Amino acid sequence: MNLKKVVFPVAGLGSRFLPATKAIPKEMLPIIDKPLIQYAVEEAIDAGFNELIFITGDTKRAITDHFDFKPDLNISNLTKDKKIFISQMHRIIPDHVSCQYIIQDEPLGLGHAILQAKEAVGEDPFAVVLADDLIDAKSGVLKQMIEHYQDKNSSIISVQKIKKSESVNYGIIEFKEGGENLIKITNIVEKPSPENAPSNFGVVGRYIFCNKIFSLLEKISVGVDNEIQLTDAIKLLLETSPIYSYEFDGTRYDCGTKLGFTKANIAFALKDRENANKLKGFIKDLL
Ligand code: UTP
């Protein structure tokens, strides 16, 4: 299978998290002790991707510095306790995986960010991961999607059931016939009002695309929110190619919002056996 490349758009303004995102991308914000982008990278590597393409803004350094392994780090004068923490800073990117960093000059939208990967991706199909959609799953969502990609050999976008009242925050899919968790879609609408939402399935940040998407991204002009919208290119792709939606197995945290980010931190903190009980007691007291 030639599905080895994965694109991480990390060049958004992250305006909902200012001033925290003034000097670092939103994707460097940590859930407990790991930045969002590391969760996303680990999910991709675990699914077998070995060419990681980051679309960065002018806060590029933070991401490259994070993934750049520094074996010569001087830890000899640290206490034993601290050495244990440092030892957890293992090599995040294994030797067989490469990283490429491409700059998006201006944050003109997700579609525009993905288009910057055109040369790097070439003729191959590829995945896109939005690291601010953190998904806690037994088997990573990309891994789940690959199984279906192998079967259908078509583009796949991940979705979750949403409340219709929240449709204005999502790309919403339309379909004729339902199915279990894999549905052939007929249309997609960016951020419709609840009255105009064609279904209650919202798109979440995991995609597998055939490379036709690039020529379509080149064709479209600015859409909703004055941005080059990925949704508009997906709509065009539907005219010539089948696209499936996949309802993944897992819990998604929208870490692009303060509420989602806080929920993720609490949920991940409660996974830590050492602190879970103390945290539960603390939350109880607060309430
Ligand atoms: P969002 O719209 O969630 O991110 O984009 P944002 O624009 O950074 O956030 P706010 O609204 O200002 O708070 C979804 C994903 O697409 C990337 C973002 O980094 C995020 O991963 N993105 C968005 C880009 O890489 N470039 C863009 O021009 C826009």
Side-chain angles (χ1 to χ4, degrees), residues 5 91 132 159 248 252:
K5 297 176 181 169
R91 189 187 288 263
D132 57 351
V159 293
F248 57 86
R252 173 241 182 186

Side-chain angles (χ1 to χ4, degrees), residues 107-109 168-169 190-191 222-229:
L108 298 178
V168 286
N169 300 319
E190 181 66 12
K191 299 180 177 158
V222 289
V224 174
D225 292 341
N226 251 349
E227 292 188 342
I228 305 275
Q229 292 287 355

Side-chain angles (χ1 to χ4, degrees), residues 8-123:
F8 301 97
V10 290
L13 284 177
S15 46
R16 284 167 289 179
F17 278 90
L18 282 168
T21 47
K22 190 166 170 243
I24 55 162
K26 163 173 74 176
E27 292 79 3
M28 279 302 292
L29 297 177
I31 301 299
I32 310 297
D33 53 2
K34 250 198 266 182
L36 285 164
I37 189 67
Q38 188 174 336
Y39 289 95
V41 160
E42 287 175 356
E43 178 185 329
I45 293 173
D46 185 50
F49 289 89
N50 61 15
E51 288 186 50
L52 316 184
I53 301 161
F54 298 88
I55 309 300
T56 69
D58 53 11
T59 47
K60 173 189 171 178
R61 276 204 67 90
I63 300 248
T64 31
D65 283 356
H66 183 71
F67 289 114
D68 199 10
F69 180 56
K70 290 198 173 60
D72 57 346
L73 193 74
N74 182 6
I75 57 168
S76 52
N77 56 351
L78 293 178
T79 60
K80 204 174 159 204
D81 286 4
K82 289 213 171 139
K83 276 186 189 159
I84 292 171
F85 288 120
I86 299 278
S87 71
Q88 287 164 5
M89 204 186 58
H90 58 283
R91 189 187 288 263
I92 303 165
I93 309 286
D95 285 342
H96 71 281
V97 175
S98 68
C99 294
Q100 201 175 330
Y101 302 89
I102 298 169
I103 293 195
Q104 181 189 19
D105 287 330
E106 269 186 280
L108 298 178
L110 174 59
H112 182 260
I114 294 171
L115 183 55
Q116 310 311 303
K118 184 178 177 214
E119 299 292 311
V121 169
E123 298 300 306

